[in-house]
Short mmCIF file of all heavy atoms in Angstrom, two decimals:
data_model
loop_
_atom_site.label_atom_id
_atom_site.label_comp_id
_atom_site.label_asym_id
_atom_site.label_seq_id
_atom_site.Cartn_x
_atom_site.Cartn_y
_atom_site.Cartn_z
N MET A 1 22.94 -45.58 92.81
CA MET A 1 22.37 -45.40 94.17
C MET A 1 23.37 -44.67 95.04
O MET A 1 24.55 -44.90 94.99
CB MET A 1 22.07 -46.75 94.77
CG MET A 1 20.83 -47.45 94.24
SD MET A 1 19.31 -46.80 94.89
CE MET A 1 19.25 -47.60 96.46
N ALA A 2 22.80 -43.71 95.80
CA ALA A 2 23.68 -43.02 96.77
C ALA A 2 24.26 -44.02 97.77
O ALA A 2 23.59 -44.94 98.19
CB ALA A 2 22.87 -41.98 97.54
N HIS A 3 25.47 -43.77 98.10
CA HIS A 3 26.17 -44.76 98.89
C HIS A 3 27.19 -44.05 99.76
O HIS A 3 27.81 -43.07 99.30
CB HIS A 3 26.95 -45.72 97.95
CG HIS A 3 27.27 -47.02 98.52
ND1 HIS A 3 26.34 -47.98 98.75
CD2 HIS A 3 28.46 -47.52 98.98
CE1 HIS A 3 26.88 -49.01 99.30
NE2 HIS A 3 28.18 -48.78 99.47
N PRO A 4 27.38 -44.46 101.06
CA PRO A 4 28.32 -43.74 101.92
C PRO A 4 29.76 -43.88 101.38
O PRO A 4 30.16 -44.97 100.98
CB PRO A 4 28.17 -44.40 103.29
CG PRO A 4 27.31 -45.56 103.09
CD PRO A 4 26.66 -45.54 101.77
N LYS A 5 30.48 -42.76 101.41
CA LYS A 5 31.84 -42.77 100.86
C LYS A 5 32.82 -43.44 101.85
O LYS A 5 33.75 -44.09 101.42
CB LYS A 5 32.28 -41.32 100.62
CG LYS A 5 33.54 -41.20 99.81
CD LYS A 5 33.78 -39.75 99.41
CE LYS A 5 34.96 -39.65 98.48
NZ LYS A 5 35.15 -38.24 98.08
N ARG A 6 32.57 -43.20 103.11
CA ARG A 6 33.44 -43.77 104.16
C ARG A 6 32.62 -44.47 105.25
O ARG A 6 31.47 -44.10 105.48
CB ARG A 6 34.25 -42.66 104.83
CG ARG A 6 35.30 -42.00 103.94
CD ARG A 6 35.93 -40.86 104.66
NE ARG A 6 36.11 -39.70 103.77
CZ ARG A 6 37.01 -39.60 102.82
NH1 ARG A 6 37.81 -40.62 102.55
NH2 ARG A 6 37.05 -38.49 102.08
N LYS A 7 33.30 -45.37 105.88
CA LYS A 7 32.72 -45.95 107.10
C LYS A 7 32.69 -44.88 108.16
O LYS A 7 33.67 -44.12 108.33
CB LYS A 7 33.63 -47.10 107.56
CG LYS A 7 33.26 -47.70 108.87
CD LYS A 7 34.30 -48.70 109.33
CE LYS A 7 33.92 -49.24 110.78
NZ LYS A 7 34.85 -50.26 111.22
N HIS A 8 31.54 -44.74 108.88
CA HIS A 8 31.58 -43.74 109.93
C HIS A 8 32.10 -44.38 111.24
O HIS A 8 32.01 -45.56 111.45
CB HIS A 8 30.30 -42.94 110.07
CG HIS A 8 29.05 -43.66 110.51
ND1 HIS A 8 27.81 -43.30 110.12
CD2 HIS A 8 28.93 -44.73 111.33
CE1 HIS A 8 26.94 -44.13 110.72
NE2 HIS A 8 27.58 -45.00 111.44
N SER A 9 32.61 -43.49 112.08
CA SER A 9 33.39 -43.96 113.25
C SER A 9 32.44 -44.55 114.30
O SER A 9 31.24 -44.30 114.32
CB SER A 9 34.18 -42.83 113.85
OG SER A 9 33.26 -41.86 114.34
N ASN A 10 33.03 -45.36 115.20
CA ASN A 10 32.33 -45.86 116.34
C ASN A 10 31.76 -44.73 117.19
O ASN A 10 30.67 -44.77 117.70
CB ASN A 10 33.22 -46.73 117.19
CG ASN A 10 33.64 -48.01 116.53
OD1 ASN A 10 32.93 -48.46 115.60
ND2 ASN A 10 34.75 -48.58 116.90
N MET A 11 32.56 -43.64 117.27
CA MET A 11 32.14 -42.50 118.10
C MET A 11 30.89 -41.85 117.53
O MET A 11 29.96 -41.50 118.27
CB MET A 11 33.29 -41.48 118.16
CG MET A 11 32.96 -40.29 119.05
SD MET A 11 34.31 -39.09 118.98
CE MET A 11 33.65 -37.87 120.14
N ARG A 12 30.85 -41.79 116.20
CA ARG A 12 29.66 -41.19 115.60
C ARG A 12 28.42 -42.00 115.90
O ARG A 12 27.31 -41.46 116.21
CB ARG A 12 29.88 -41.04 114.11
CG ARG A 12 28.95 -40.04 113.45
CD ARG A 12 29.35 -39.83 112.03
NE ARG A 12 28.14 -39.93 111.21
CZ ARG A 12 28.12 -39.85 109.89
NH1 ARG A 12 29.25 -39.67 109.22
NH2 ARG A 12 26.99 -39.94 109.24
N THR A 13 28.55 -43.34 115.78
CA THR A 13 27.44 -44.20 116.13
C THR A 13 27.01 -44.04 117.60
O THR A 13 25.82 -43.90 117.90
CB THR A 13 27.84 -45.71 115.91
OG1 THR A 13 28.26 -45.81 114.55
CG2 THR A 13 26.70 -46.63 116.20
N ARG A 14 27.99 -43.98 118.49
CA ARG A 14 27.71 -43.86 119.92
C ARG A 14 27.12 -42.48 120.25
O ARG A 14 26.21 -42.42 121.12
CB ARG A 14 29.01 -44.09 120.73
CG ARG A 14 29.39 -45.57 120.74
CD ARG A 14 30.77 -45.76 121.26
NE ARG A 14 31.21 -47.16 121.04
CZ ARG A 14 32.46 -47.54 121.10
NH1 ARG A 14 33.43 -46.70 121.41
NH2 ARG A 14 32.78 -48.79 120.89
N LEU A 15 27.59 -41.45 119.57
CA LEU A 15 26.99 -40.13 119.82
C LEU A 15 25.52 -40.10 119.43
O LEU A 15 24.70 -39.52 120.12
CB LEU A 15 27.76 -39.04 119.08
CG LEU A 15 29.10 -38.59 119.69
CD1 LEU A 15 29.84 -37.75 118.71
CD2 LEU A 15 28.84 -37.87 121.03
N ARG A 16 25.21 -40.73 118.32
CA ARG A 16 23.81 -40.80 117.88
C ARG A 16 22.97 -41.58 118.89
O ARG A 16 21.90 -41.16 119.24
CB ARG A 16 23.75 -41.46 116.47
CG ARG A 16 22.31 -41.81 116.04
CD ARG A 16 22.22 -42.11 114.55
NE ARG A 16 23.36 -42.85 114.01
CZ ARG A 16 23.50 -44.17 114.10
NH1 ARG A 16 22.59 -44.91 114.66
NH2 ARG A 16 24.55 -44.74 113.57
N ARG A 17 23.50 -42.70 119.31
CA ARG A 17 22.74 -43.54 120.25
C ARG A 17 22.68 -43.01 121.69
O ARG A 17 21.93 -43.53 122.49
CB ARG A 17 23.37 -44.94 120.30
CG ARG A 17 23.10 -45.67 118.96
CD ARG A 17 23.64 -47.04 118.90
NE ARG A 17 23.42 -47.62 117.58
CZ ARG A 17 23.93 -48.74 117.13
NH1 ARG A 17 24.73 -49.44 117.93
NH2 ARG A 17 23.71 -49.18 115.96
N SER A 18 23.43 -41.97 121.98
CA SER A 18 23.39 -41.33 123.27
C SER A 18 22.02 -40.72 123.56
O SER A 18 21.70 -40.43 124.68
CB SER A 18 24.50 -40.33 123.47
OG SER A 18 24.20 -39.17 122.68
N HIS A 19 21.21 -40.52 122.52
CA HIS A 19 19.86 -39.91 122.67
C HIS A 19 18.78 -40.99 122.62
O HIS A 19 17.58 -40.65 122.61
CB HIS A 19 19.62 -38.86 121.61
CG HIS A 19 20.64 -37.78 121.60
ND1 HIS A 19 20.59 -36.75 122.55
CD2 HIS A 19 21.71 -37.54 120.85
CE1 HIS A 19 21.63 -35.96 122.30
NE2 HIS A 19 22.34 -36.43 121.30
N ASP A 20 19.15 -42.27 122.52
CA ASP A 20 18.15 -43.31 122.30
C ASP A 20 17.52 -43.89 123.56
O ASP A 20 16.57 -44.69 123.41
CB ASP A 20 18.76 -44.45 121.50
CG ASP A 20 19.02 -44.08 120.04
OD1 ASP A 20 18.66 -42.95 119.66
OD2 ASP A 20 19.57 -44.89 119.31
N ALA A 21 18.03 -43.53 124.70
CA ALA A 21 17.54 -44.19 125.90
C ALA A 21 16.09 -43.79 126.18
O ALA A 21 15.69 -42.66 125.87
CB ALA A 21 18.40 -43.79 127.13
N LEU A 22 15.29 -44.75 126.69
CA LEU A 22 13.90 -44.46 126.97
C LEU A 22 13.76 -43.77 128.35
O LEU A 22 14.53 -44.07 129.27
CB LEU A 22 13.10 -45.77 127.02
CG LEU A 22 12.99 -46.54 125.71
CD1 LEU A 22 12.31 -47.89 125.94
CD2 LEU A 22 12.20 -45.73 124.68
N LYS A 23 12.88 -42.83 128.41
CA LYS A 23 12.61 -42.15 129.68
C LYS A 23 11.40 -42.79 130.35
O LYS A 23 10.52 -43.32 129.66
CB LYS A 23 12.31 -40.68 129.43
CG LYS A 23 13.55 -39.91 129.03
CD LYS A 23 13.17 -38.50 128.53
CE LYS A 23 14.41 -37.86 127.91
NZ LYS A 23 13.98 -36.73 127.07
N THR A 24 11.36 -42.68 131.66
CA THR A 24 10.20 -43.17 132.36
C THR A 24 8.99 -42.28 132.10
O THR A 24 9.21 -41.08 131.88
CB THR A 24 10.43 -43.27 133.85
OG1 THR A 24 10.89 -42.02 134.32
CG2 THR A 24 11.49 -44.31 134.20
N ALA A 25 7.82 -42.85 132.09
CA ALA A 25 6.60 -42.06 131.80
C ALA A 25 6.44 -41.05 132.92
O ALA A 25 6.66 -41.36 134.09
CB ALA A 25 5.42 -42.99 131.74
N SER A 26 6.02 -39.84 132.57
CA SER A 26 5.78 -38.81 133.61
C SER A 26 4.34 -38.92 134.05
O SER A 26 3.44 -39.23 133.27
CB SER A 26 6.06 -37.44 133.04
OG SER A 26 5.14 -37.14 132.00
N PHE A 27 4.13 -38.63 135.34
CA PHE A 27 2.78 -38.75 135.90
C PHE A 27 2.34 -37.39 136.46
O PHE A 27 3.19 -36.60 136.84
CB PHE A 27 2.72 -39.80 137.00
CG PHE A 27 2.89 -41.20 136.56
CD1 PHE A 27 4.09 -41.85 136.60
CD2 PHE A 27 1.78 -41.85 135.99
CE1 PHE A 27 4.25 -43.17 136.15
CE2 PHE A 27 1.90 -43.17 135.55
CZ PHE A 27 3.12 -43.80 135.62
N SER A 28 1.06 -37.19 136.44
CA SER A 28 0.52 -36.04 137.15
C SER A 28 -0.51 -36.61 138.13
O SER A 28 -0.86 -37.77 138.08
CB SER A 28 -0.07 -35.03 136.20
OG SER A 28 -1.16 -35.62 135.48
N ARG A 29 -0.96 -35.73 139.07
CA ARG A 29 -1.91 -36.16 140.05
C ARG A 29 -3.33 -35.88 139.55
O ARG A 29 -3.59 -34.76 139.07
CB ARG A 29 -1.68 -35.40 141.33
CG ARG A 29 -0.39 -35.81 142.06
CD ARG A 29 -0.61 -36.97 142.95
NE ARG A 29 0.70 -37.49 143.42
CZ ARG A 29 0.85 -38.71 143.91
NH1 ARG A 29 -0.19 -39.52 144.00
NH2 ARG A 29 2.01 -39.09 144.35
N CYS A 30 -4.22 -36.78 139.83
CA CYS A 30 -5.67 -36.52 139.57
C CYS A 30 -6.14 -35.50 140.57
O CYS A 30 -5.89 -35.64 141.77
CB CYS A 30 -6.43 -37.83 139.71
SG CYS A 30 -8.24 -37.56 139.61
N SER A 31 -6.79 -34.43 140.08
CA SER A 31 -7.27 -33.39 141.00
C SER A 31 -8.46 -33.85 141.86
O SER A 31 -8.74 -33.30 142.88
CB SER A 31 -7.67 -32.15 140.22
OG SER A 31 -8.65 -32.51 139.27
N GLN A 32 -9.09 -34.94 141.40
CA GLN A 32 -10.26 -35.42 142.10
C GLN A 32 -9.89 -36.45 143.21
O GLN A 32 -10.23 -36.29 144.34
CB GLN A 32 -11.26 -36.05 141.10
CG GLN A 32 -12.53 -36.55 141.74
CD GLN A 32 -13.39 -35.40 142.28
OE1 GLN A 32 -13.20 -34.27 141.89
NE2 GLN A 32 -14.33 -35.76 143.17
N CYS A 33 -9.09 -37.47 142.82
CA CYS A 33 -8.83 -38.53 143.79
C CYS A 33 -7.32 -38.59 144.19
O CYS A 33 -6.98 -39.32 145.09
CB CYS A 33 -9.31 -39.88 143.24
SG CYS A 33 -8.36 -40.47 141.81
N GLY A 34 -6.49 -37.81 143.52
CA GLY A 34 -5.08 -37.75 143.92
C GLY A 34 -4.23 -38.89 143.41
O GLY A 34 -3.05 -38.97 143.79
N ALA A 35 -4.75 -39.74 142.61
CA ALA A 35 -3.99 -40.89 142.07
C ALA A 35 -2.99 -40.40 141.02
O ALA A 35 -3.22 -39.36 140.38
CB ALA A 35 -4.93 -41.95 141.50
N GLU A 36 -1.94 -41.18 140.82
CA GLU A 36 -1.00 -40.83 139.78
C GLU A 36 -1.61 -41.25 138.43
O GLU A 36 -1.95 -42.42 138.22
CB GLU A 36 0.35 -41.62 139.97
CG GLU A 36 1.22 -40.99 140.99
CD GLU A 36 2.61 -41.64 141.01
OE1 GLU A 36 2.71 -42.77 140.62
OE2 GLU A 36 3.55 -40.95 141.44
N ILE A 37 -1.71 -40.28 137.52
CA ILE A 37 -2.31 -40.57 136.21
C ILE A 37 -1.44 -39.98 135.12
O ILE A 37 -0.61 -39.15 135.34
CB ILE A 37 -3.72 -39.99 136.11
CG1 ILE A 37 -3.70 -38.47 136.41
CG2 ILE A 37 -4.71 -40.72 137.01
CD1 ILE A 37 -4.98 -37.77 135.99
N LEU A 38 -1.64 -40.52 133.88
CA LEU A 38 -0.92 -39.96 132.75
C LEU A 38 -1.54 -38.60 132.40
O LEU A 38 -2.75 -38.49 132.40
CB LEU A 38 -1.02 -40.91 131.54
CG LEU A 38 -0.33 -42.27 131.68
CD1 LEU A 38 -0.73 -43.19 130.57
CD2 LEU A 38 1.19 -42.06 131.69
N PRO A 39 -0.72 -37.62 132.08
CA PRO A 39 -1.27 -36.29 131.79
C PRO A 39 -2.12 -36.29 130.50
O PRO A 39 -1.86 -37.08 129.61
CB PRO A 39 -0.05 -35.38 131.69
CG PRO A 39 1.10 -36.30 131.48
CD PRO A 39 0.74 -37.59 132.10
N HIS A 40 -3.07 -35.41 130.45
CA HIS A 40 -4.01 -35.24 129.32
C HIS A 40 -4.88 -36.46 129.02
O HIS A 40 -5.26 -36.74 127.92
CB HIS A 40 -3.24 -34.85 128.00
CG HIS A 40 -2.32 -33.71 128.20
ND1 HIS A 40 -2.79 -32.41 128.37
CD2 HIS A 40 -0.98 -33.62 128.27
CE1 HIS A 40 -1.76 -31.63 128.54
NE2 HIS A 40 -0.66 -32.32 128.49
N ARG A 41 -5.14 -37.21 130.13
CA ARG A 41 -6.01 -38.37 129.99
C ARG A 41 -6.99 -38.41 131.13
O ARG A 41 -6.72 -37.88 132.21
CB ARG A 41 -5.18 -39.66 129.99
CG ARG A 41 -4.52 -39.96 128.64
CD ARG A 41 -3.39 -40.94 128.82
NE ARG A 41 -2.65 -41.18 127.62
CZ ARG A 41 -1.73 -40.36 127.13
NH1 ARG A 41 -1.38 -39.26 127.79
NH2 ARG A 41 -1.07 -40.61 126.03
N ILE A 42 -8.13 -39.00 130.87
CA ILE A 42 -9.14 -39.17 131.91
C ILE A 42 -8.58 -40.07 132.97
O ILE A 42 -7.91 -41.06 132.68
CB ILE A 42 -10.44 -39.79 131.30
CG1 ILE A 42 -11.09 -38.78 130.32
CG2 ILE A 42 -11.41 -40.20 132.39
CD1 ILE A 42 -12.14 -39.43 129.45
N CYS A 43 -8.85 -39.72 134.23
CA CYS A 43 -8.40 -40.52 135.36
C CYS A 43 -9.05 -41.93 135.29
O CYS A 43 -10.27 -41.99 135.27
CB CYS A 43 -8.73 -39.87 136.69
SG CYS A 43 -8.33 -40.90 138.08
N PRO A 44 -8.28 -43.02 135.21
CA PRO A 44 -8.85 -44.36 135.10
C PRO A 44 -9.51 -44.82 136.42
O PRO A 44 -10.20 -45.83 136.45
CB PRO A 44 -7.70 -45.25 134.69
CG PRO A 44 -6.52 -44.52 135.19
CD PRO A 44 -6.83 -43.03 135.17
N TYR A 45 -9.26 -44.09 137.50
CA TYR A 45 -9.74 -44.55 138.85
C TYR A 45 -11.10 -43.91 139.15
O TYR A 45 -12.01 -44.57 139.69
CB TYR A 45 -8.75 -44.21 139.90
CG TYR A 45 -7.38 -44.87 139.62
CD1 TYR A 45 -6.34 -44.10 139.07
CD2 TYR A 45 -7.18 -46.22 139.85
CE1 TYR A 45 -5.14 -44.70 138.72
CE2 TYR A 45 -5.98 -46.80 139.52
CZ TYR A 45 -4.95 -46.03 138.98
OH TYR A 45 -3.77 -46.63 138.67
N CYS A 46 -11.27 -42.61 138.87
CA CYS A 46 -12.53 -41.97 139.23
C CYS A 46 -13.25 -41.39 137.97
O CYS A 46 -14.42 -41.01 138.11
CB CYS A 46 -12.27 -40.82 140.24
SG CYS A 46 -11.31 -39.48 139.58
N GLY A 47 -12.63 -41.43 136.79
CA GLY A 47 -13.32 -41.00 135.56
C GLY A 47 -13.40 -39.49 135.40
O GLY A 47 -14.17 -39.02 134.60
N TYR A 48 -12.63 -38.74 136.18
CA TYR A 48 -12.69 -37.27 136.09
C TYR A 48 -11.65 -36.79 135.11
O TYR A 48 -10.58 -37.37 134.98
CB TYR A 48 -12.48 -36.64 137.43
CG TYR A 48 -13.76 -36.45 138.24
CD1 TYR A 48 -14.53 -37.57 138.60
CD2 TYR A 48 -14.16 -35.20 138.64
CE1 TYR A 48 -15.67 -37.43 139.32
CE2 TYR A 48 -15.36 -35.01 139.35
CZ TYR A 48 -16.08 -36.17 139.71
OH TYR A 48 -17.24 -35.99 140.43
N TYR A 49 -11.95 -35.67 134.42
CA TYR A 49 -10.95 -35.00 133.62
C TYR A 49 -11.12 -33.52 133.81
O TYR A 49 -12.17 -32.96 133.65
CB TYR A 49 -11.11 -35.35 132.13
CG TYR A 49 -10.03 -34.73 131.25
CD1 TYR A 49 -8.76 -35.21 131.33
CD2 TYR A 49 -10.37 -33.74 130.36
CE1 TYR A 49 -7.76 -34.63 130.55
CE2 TYR A 49 -9.35 -33.14 129.58
CZ TYR A 49 -8.04 -33.64 129.69
OH TYR A 49 -7.08 -33.06 128.94
N ARG A 50 -10.02 -32.84 134.22
CA ARG A 50 -10.00 -31.39 134.51
C ARG A 50 -11.12 -30.98 135.49
O ARG A 50 -11.82 -30.04 135.25
CB ARG A 50 -10.09 -30.54 133.23
CG ARG A 50 -8.85 -30.75 132.32
CD ARG A 50 -8.96 -30.00 131.05
NE ARG A 50 -9.00 -28.57 131.27
CZ ARG A 50 -9.12 -27.64 130.33
NH1 ARG A 50 -9.30 -28.01 129.09
NH2 ARG A 50 -9.08 -26.38 130.65
N GLY A 51 -11.25 -31.80 136.56
CA GLY A 51 -12.21 -31.45 137.63
C GLY A 51 -13.63 -31.73 137.38
O GLY A 51 -14.51 -31.38 138.15
N LYS A 52 -13.91 -32.35 136.20
CA LYS A 52 -15.33 -32.65 135.90
C LYS A 52 -15.44 -34.14 135.57
O LYS A 52 -14.51 -34.74 134.99
CB LYS A 52 -15.77 -31.86 134.66
CG LYS A 52 -15.99 -30.39 134.93
CD LYS A 52 -16.41 -29.72 133.68
CE LYS A 52 -16.67 -28.21 133.96
NZ LYS A 52 -17.06 -27.51 132.70
N PRO A 53 -16.60 -34.76 135.95
CA PRO A 53 -16.76 -36.16 135.59
C PRO A 53 -16.86 -36.33 134.07
O PRO A 53 -17.68 -35.64 133.41
CB PRO A 53 -18.07 -36.54 136.31
CG PRO A 53 -18.75 -35.28 136.56
CD PRO A 53 -17.70 -34.21 136.70
N ALA A 54 -16.05 -37.19 133.50
CA ALA A 54 -16.03 -37.37 132.03
C ALA A 54 -16.62 -38.71 131.63
O ALA A 54 -17.36 -38.81 130.68
CB ALA A 54 -14.61 -37.25 131.52
N VAL A 55 -16.32 -39.76 132.37
CA VAL A 55 -16.87 -41.06 132.14
C VAL A 55 -17.27 -41.68 133.46
O VAL A 55 -16.75 -41.30 134.51
CB VAL A 55 -15.91 -42.03 131.41
CG1 VAL A 55 -15.67 -41.58 129.99
CG2 VAL A 55 -14.59 -42.15 132.14
N THR A 56 -18.23 -42.57 133.47
CA THR A 56 -18.52 -43.34 134.66
C THR A 56 -17.75 -44.61 134.70
O THR A 56 -17.71 -45.35 133.69
CB THR A 56 -20.04 -43.61 134.80
OG1 THR A 56 -20.53 -44.05 133.54
CG2 THR A 56 -20.80 -42.38 135.24
N ILE A 57 -17.05 -44.86 135.79
CA ILE A 57 -16.25 -46.08 135.95
C ILE A 57 -17.18 -47.18 136.44
O ILE A 57 -17.82 -47.07 137.47
CB ILE A 57 -15.09 -45.84 136.95
CG1 ILE A 57 -14.18 -44.70 136.50
CG2 ILE A 57 -14.32 -47.14 137.10
CD1 ILE A 57 -13.38 -44.92 135.30
N ARG A 58 -17.24 -48.31 135.63
CA ARG A 58 -18.02 -49.43 136.07
C ARG A 58 -17.07 -50.47 136.66
O ARG A 58 -16.16 -50.92 135.97
CB ARG A 58 -18.76 -49.99 134.85
CG ARG A 58 -20.04 -50.73 135.22
CD ARG A 58 -20.89 -51.03 134.04
NE ARG A 58 -20.07 -51.23 132.84
CZ ARG A 58 -20.61 -51.63 131.68
NH1 ARG A 58 -21.92 -51.82 131.57
NH2 ARG A 58 -19.87 -51.82 130.61
N VAL A 59 -17.31 -50.85 137.87
CA VAL A 59 -16.46 -51.86 138.52
C VAL A 59 -17.01 -53.20 138.15
O VAL A 59 -18.22 -53.44 138.25
CB VAL A 59 -16.49 -51.66 140.09
CG1 VAL A 59 -15.60 -52.73 140.73
CG2 VAL A 59 -16.00 -50.28 140.42
N LYS A 60 -16.10 -54.05 137.68
CA LYS A 60 -16.47 -55.40 137.22
C LYS A 60 -16.92 -56.25 138.44
O LYS A 60 -16.14 -56.39 139.37
CB LYS A 60 -15.32 -56.08 136.52
CG LYS A 60 -15.36 -56.03 135.02
CD LYS A 60 -14.31 -56.90 134.43
CE LYS A 60 -14.24 -56.73 132.93
NZ LYS A 60 -13.11 -57.47 132.36
N SER A 61 -18.12 -56.78 138.35
CA SER A 61 -18.50 -57.72 139.39
C SER A 61 -18.27 -59.14 138.83
O SER A 61 -17.96 -59.31 137.67
CB SER A 61 -20.00 -57.55 139.73
OG SER A 61 -20.79 -57.87 138.60
N LYS A 62 -18.37 -60.14 139.71
CA LYS A 62 -18.08 -61.50 139.26
C LYS A 62 -19.09 -62.02 138.25
O LYS A 62 -18.75 -62.81 137.37
CB LYS A 62 -18.08 -62.44 140.45
CG LYS A 62 -16.79 -62.26 141.29
CD LYS A 62 -16.71 -63.28 142.46
CE LYS A 62 -15.45 -63.03 143.23
NZ LYS A 62 -15.39 -63.90 144.45
N LYS A 63 -20.31 -61.46 138.30
CA LYS A 63 -21.34 -61.87 137.33
C LYS A 63 -20.99 -61.36 135.91
O LYS A 63 -21.19 -62.04 134.96
CB LYS A 63 -22.70 -61.31 137.71
CG LYS A 63 -23.34 -62.11 138.83
CD LYS A 63 -24.70 -61.49 139.22
CE LYS A 63 -25.28 -62.20 140.45
NZ LYS A 63 -26.49 -61.55 140.90
N GLU A 64 -20.45 -60.14 135.84
CA GLU A 64 -20.16 -59.55 134.54
C GLU A 64 -18.95 -60.21 133.84
O GLU A 64 -18.84 -60.15 132.66
CB GLU A 64 -19.86 -58.05 134.72
CG GLU A 64 -21.15 -57.24 134.84
CD GLU A 64 -20.89 -55.77 135.09
OE1 GLU A 64 -19.84 -55.45 135.70
OE2 GLU A 64 -21.75 -54.97 134.73
N GLU A 65 -18.04 -60.78 134.66
CA GLU A 65 -16.83 -61.34 134.07
C GLU A 65 -17.11 -62.58 133.22
O GLU A 65 -16.40 -62.93 132.34
CB GLU A 65 -15.82 -61.71 135.20
CG GLU A 65 -15.09 -60.48 135.70
CD GLU A 65 -14.21 -60.78 136.87
OE1 GLU A 65 -14.27 -61.92 137.36
OE2 GLU A 65 -13.45 -59.85 137.29
N LYS A 66 -18.22 -63.31 133.59
CA LYS A 66 -18.54 -64.54 132.91
C LYS A 66 -19.19 -64.33 131.52
O LYS A 66 -19.58 -63.28 131.17
CB LYS A 66 -19.45 -65.42 133.76
CG LYS A 66 -18.68 -66.09 134.85
CD LYS A 66 -19.59 -66.84 135.80
CE LYS A 66 -18.83 -67.38 136.96
NZ LYS A 66 -19.73 -68.02 137.95
ZN1 ZN B 101 -9.10 -39.63 139.83
#
């Protein structure tokens, strides 16, 4: 089995992990309602995608929750 010849240095480990940090999600604005939304997704607030209605948003009433 292939096996490492030498222990690699702490610096090498740290250099690799310097790219591991998570970035915050980027947001874009909904062109219809102006809410912050994830890019390339239907707006969860008004249901529009690229300026056109894509889905109808149904607001949950208390009757529907039961
Ligand atoms: Zn919207």
Side-chain angles (χ1 to χ4, degrees):
M1 285 281 280
H3 202 74
K5 193 170 186 179
R6 293 175 221 287
K7 174 187 176 176
H8 67 210
S9 65
N10 293 337
M11 185 184 179
R12 200 172 130 182
T13 303
R14 286 168 190 164
L15 281 170
R16 170 166 37 84
R17 289 181 184 170
S18 71
H19 302 282
D20 288 356
L22 294 173
K23 288 169 191 162
T24 54
S26 63
F27 289 99
S28 61
R29 291 271 171 201
C30 173
S31 58
Q32 182 67 18
C33 68
E36 280 190 336
I37 55 165
L38 293 168
H40 308 290
R41 282 161 184 81
I42 294 168
C43 175
Y45 303 101
C46 66
Y48 272 60
Y49 184 68
R50 296 177 65 184
K52 287 179 179 177
V55 290
T56 42
I57 303 291
R58 204 168 34 173
V59 181
K60 260 189 189 174
S61 66
K62 284 183 181 176
K63 283 178 185 174
E64 281 176 332
E65 282 174 354
K66 283 175 186 174

